[in-house]
Amino acid sequence: MIAMTLDEIAAVTGGRVVGEPGVRVTGPVEFDSRKLAPGGLFVAFDGEKVDGHEFAGTAMAAGAAGVLGTRQTEAPGVVVTDQLVALARLARVVVDRLDGLTVVGLTGSSGKTTTKDFIGQLLARLGPTVAPPGSLNNELGHPYTVLKAGPDTRFLVLEMGARGVGHIRHLAQIAPPRIGVVLNIGAAHLGEFGSVQGTAAAKGELVEALPADGVAVLNADDPLVAAMAGRTRARIVRFGEAAQAEVRAVGVTLDARGRASYTLVSDGKQAPVRLAVTGRHQVGNTLAAAAVALTAGMPLEQVAEALGEVGIASVRRMDVFDRPDGVTVIDDSYNANPSSTEAALRALAALGAGRRTVAVLGYMAELGEYERSGHEQVGRLAAELGVDRLIAVAEAAPILAGAATVGSWTGQGLHAADQAAAIAELDLRPGDVVLVKGSRYRTWEVADSLRPEGVRP
Ligand SMILES: Nc1ncnc2c1ncn2[C@@H]1O[C@H](COP(=O)(O)OP(=O)(O)OP(=O)(O)O)[C@@H](O)[C@H]1O
Ligand SMILES: [Mg+2]
């Protein structure tokens, strides 16, 4: 946030000042009154259960300079007609006023948060970077993240989600990106978009928003993403394993822990990369991050070395850990769709070579008409990869039907009515590798039961 008076905030948001107009907001914006820092702006939302305006006093006690809401409270602040519109306008003003700020926007079906964290870790080596952990990719999280940027910020890395046509265009207006990354188009949110082509149409709005002196970072290995080159004025930098990629991985190998190594090739130079994060799919994610860092001016050798140190910063994503009893856990339970479940199952197979493998898979939401086929497809893959124990939780039962179509499969399929039943069915033995994955909360209890010390950051 940049320092602004209530008067300025009211002018920007079209709101009305309550109290002393010259009061200065210096801290960040928060909508959780418990998170406020001194000088911050508390945004009060009128929720169905809790009315944020009732926490104005708590926020002020925590040092807030003022409250932004849709009605007057006992605290000084600004009254607006719509908090999201007000946040969007404030964010835009902040971005416009910050000279020397490079905005990086990132979208795709799977791996946005993971890759945003990687990009953030790389760019932080070049200068002050805002890329907070978590999945702040909607009309609230996006301006909220933008407002974390201050006068010193050089890079702002924004995850951009699309629930429909026009959403990414709107987010790009709030904070116009100069570098836009499209990771992949897969079977995520198919219920919203109807088809992968529909998803591509919406995600491509990111590259349409780039200026002529911007850079579109596109996945050369994903035809729907590569085709977005025709939708932008910006310079194109392609990443991938394909020969035409400007930022390329050559000679990818996986170690026994499912971690990839490869040679990073760009602009006639090359350097070895050895990742510490798990899964073949991290090759694409780290190449995307490399392309951004190279574009921002980091030398190739430094990018390669830094990639070896990037880690998982947001919870429940490809979090691999060994327990004292010799069981290896892959907690990838944050969310699931058929593409990300495929990536996770392949990681399980890589880590589980020569070991007993267990997969606990929950329901994948938002698949629309692909709901049944999406679950069956995942089940078939689990069986083809030879998962030894496949537990489908609650509405994920069609996974087992898919697995049953693989005649050569010798593993065991089980249906658990709920997460407690799945935990009871785990039957883990020393040396096992267990993957836990499902949409949102649907397998979180299972993942937490494997992690007695609590969820790690
Ligand atoms: N390139 C990839 N391809 C397929 N799956 C991936 C890829 N990168 C990450 N994943 C998997 O996708 C899941 C979600 O990861 P992440 O949270 O980074 O994605 P996201 O795009 O931010 O998701 P959301 O739409 O929920 O915000 C994780 O379980 C992760 O293992
Ligand atoms: Mg996310």
Side-chain angles (χ1 to χ4, degrees):
M1 183 81 184
I2 52 177
M4 283 171 101
T5 60
L6 292 181
D7 213 21
E8 282 178 285
I9 292 173
V12 165
T13 59
R16 171 173 65 82
V17 176
V18 176
E20 176 54 53
V23 167
R24 272 160 64 88
V25 173
T26 52
V29 167
E30 293 294 349
F31 40 87
D32 180 337
S33 60
R34 292 161 300 188
K35 286 196 184 160
L36 264 145
L41 181 67
F42 174 56
V43 179
F45 281 97
D46 358 49
E48 265 166 34
K49 293 201 188 95
V50 204
D51 181 356
H53 298 84
E54 285 170 16
F55 294 86
T58 320
M60 294 308 288
V67 177
L68 184 136
T70 48
R71 61 182 172 78
Q72 190 166 336
T73 67
E74 72 275 22
V78 177
V79 175
V80 296
T81 47
D82 184 320
Q83 295 92 335
L84 287 181
V85 172
L87 278 180
R89 291 197 182 148
L90 262 183
R92 178 62 195 250
V93 164
V94 166
V95 168
D96 286 347
R97 286 197 196 165
L98 292 176
D99 294 331
L101 177 75
T102 298
V103 178
V104 181
L106 165 89
T107 193
S109 295
S110 304
K112 294 181 292 296
T113 298
T114 304
T115 307
K116 177 261 298 164
D117 291 338
F118 294 166
I119 295 172
Q121 291 169 54
L122 292 188
L123 294 181
R125 294 175 176 235
L126 293 178
T129 299
V130 170
S135 195
L136 301 161
N137 67 17
N138 62 15
E139 69 277 20
L140 173 58
H142 181 269
Y144 172 78
T145 307
V146 174
L147 290 165
K148 296 267 176 237
D152 297 334
T153 310
R154 259 190 77 198
F155 299 103
L156 173 60
V157 190
L158 298 166
E159 172 174 344
M160 297 161 91
R163 315 295 297 175
V165 170
H167 287 194
I168 291 190
R169 191 177 312 131
H170 171 66
L171 298 180
Q173 278 161 359
I174 295 176
R178 209 178 71 73
I179 302 177
V181 186
V182 186
L183 280 179
N184 48 46
I185 300 297
H189 315 303
L190 273 182
E192 294 277 339
F193 294 109
S195 66
V196 285
Q197 286 78 12
T199 312
K203 306 261 181 209
E205 290 171 11
L206 173 56
V207 297
E208 287 174 355
L210 294 170
D213 66 349
V215 179
V217 175
L218 298 176
N219 188 342
D221 298 333
D222 185 321
L224 287 167
V225 176
M228 290 178 191
R231 292 171 64 184
T232 185
R233 298 172 288 166
R235 178 163 69 86
I236 312 285
V237 174
R238 289 164 299 182
F239 67 90
E241 294 172 54
Q244 67 269 26
E246 285 85 15
V247 178
R248 194 173 164 215
V250 178
V252 178
T253 57
L254 285 191
D255 71 8
R257 297 287 288 182
R259 296 171 299 206
S261 290
Y262 58 85
T263 302
L264 177 65
V265 182
S266 175
D267 206 15
K269 295 200 218 65
Q270 59 179 61
V273 171
R274 205 171 150 189
L275 298 178
V277 288
T278 303
R280 181 73 171 73
H281 62 286
Q282 306 289 18
V283 174
N285 295 344
T286 52
L287 283 175
V292 172
L294 289 165
T295 300
M298 191 184 283
L300 184 89
E301 305 70 41
Q302 200 187 332
V303 172
E305 185 233 301
L307 283 179
E309 284 171 28
V310 295
I312 300 295
S314 301
V315 293
R316 302 186 191 282
R317 288 157 179 98
M318 270 293 145
D319 185 358
V320 181
F321 58 96
D322 294 311
R323 304 198 318 179
D325 63 357
V327 170
T328 300
V329 179
I330 308 173
D331 178 1
D332 199 35
S333 62
Y334 178 72
N335 204 356
N337 61 52
S339 312
S340 71
T341 305
E342 174 179 344
L345 284 167
R346 292 194 187 283
L348 173 67
L351 250 104
R355 303 168 69 179
R356 183 168 171 266
T357 52
V358 180
V360 182
L361 302 181
Y363 178 71
M364 296 179 286
E366 302 176 5
L367 291 179
E369 61 174 297
Y370 300 94
E371 177 174 321
R372 190 166 180 95
S373 59
H375 285 86
E376 287 175 355
Q377 176 197 327
V378 155
R380 258 195 316 278
L381 180 70
E384 282 162 8
L385 291 170
V387 168
D388 294 303
R389 195 173 176 81
L390 178 61
I391 303 176
V393 186
E395 317 98 292
I399 286 177
L400 298 175
T405 63
V406 180
S408 57
W409 186 44
T410 55
Q412 193 183 9
L414 292 145
H415 180 248
D418 54 24
Q419 295 195 55
I423 293 167
E425 294 286 5
L426 276 171
D427 182 32
L428 294 175
R429 306 171 198 163
D432 285 357
V433 188
V434 54
L435 164 72
V436 186
K437 189 158 179 73
S439 276
R440 303 290 184 215
Y441 55 87
R442 290 176 179 83
T443 53
W444 289 359
E445 278 172 44
V446 179
D448 292 349
S449 78
L450 293 166
R451 187 198 285 284
E453 76 282 16
V455 179
R456 293 186 307 187

